[in-house]
Amino acid sequence: RPPAFLVCSPKTMAAPASPVFDGDVVPRIVAVIPARGGSVSVPRKNIKILQGRPLIDWVIQAAEYSGIFDEVWVSTDDDEIHMIAKKCGAKVHRRSPHTATNTASTESALVDFVKAHPNYDVLCLVQATSPLITPLDFQKGWDAMRRAKADSLVTCVRAHRFLWSVDKRSGVARAVNYDPAKRPRRQDWDGELIENGAFYFTTKEVMEREECRLGGRVALHEMEEHTFAELDSPTDWQIVANMAMIHGFWPPGSVKPEGTDESPGSAEVTILGDSKLGLAAAAGLGMGVGLGVAGVAGLLAAPA
């Protein structure tokens, strides 16, 4: 899914290593999930029920159980989203109305948030419409940024797709990323890395200087191809609901609902935040993470 695209222009895409990683101090990492009340494509999308859970609960739980965030926030203008986000275990920031319109950029919501909550070293923008993020994705993404000593990080998926463009005047089409006379086989081609808009890490320095999610020295975390999913129609919703049963993160102790009918009221709404087992349970995610609390702490503190 293409992100709500950047209304900004990163100024320094090749910069020295981020000062966040200098010394032995563990950075304070804060996650923020923008979730406005209005949705054009799918009404009330951010709290619509997906496999028995409000949409925002999927990313809240993945962020909480990753063990890398000092705080997880939902930024909203909506009373119902506010209530549900708190029940899911997140803190809530009441965003300014001008950042929650159909034309407002995600960057405007980020700037609004950090002005109210400046106590962070690294900000993680998490998209509520990416419910297939797992705790392991956050852990691997942060590890990639730490190892690169980067100022920001973008998530992508690898797609083996041949891209074309058409000249508007002549109507002539041309291949963009391959030579049709030498069509590569999938196994002989690395494909293209496409931004999936799942989450972004940004240092405080970059956010304050550029008011943009990406800037300075940029690292990349490659995610599984199924995370390149859209939630813009009822059909999209059913497809993602089916994938969530297999690929979505289910916290320890949660029970998957039977069936896949996702119409409101068709399944009991399960909010997992109040029964979360905490970081001690993160050591047993069942995803081959093997990090646990001590491992995550060591990851953050380890010299690059």
Side-chain angles (χ1 to χ4, degrees), residues 73-77 91-96 109 112-113 116-117:
W73 290 79
V74 169
S75 172
T76 188
D77 62 323
K91 295 187 175 185
V92 177
H93 166 70
R94 293 298 295 219
R95 63 199 279 185
S96 300
D112 175 75
F113 175 82
H117 308 281

Side-chain angles (χ1 to χ4, degrees), residues 11-18 148-151 206 209-210 215-218:
K11 304 177 182 66
T12 55
M13 295 305 285
S18 171
K149 294 187 176 181
D151 299 291
V206 165
R209 182 180 70 234
E210 304 186 15
R217 188 182 179 98
V218 181

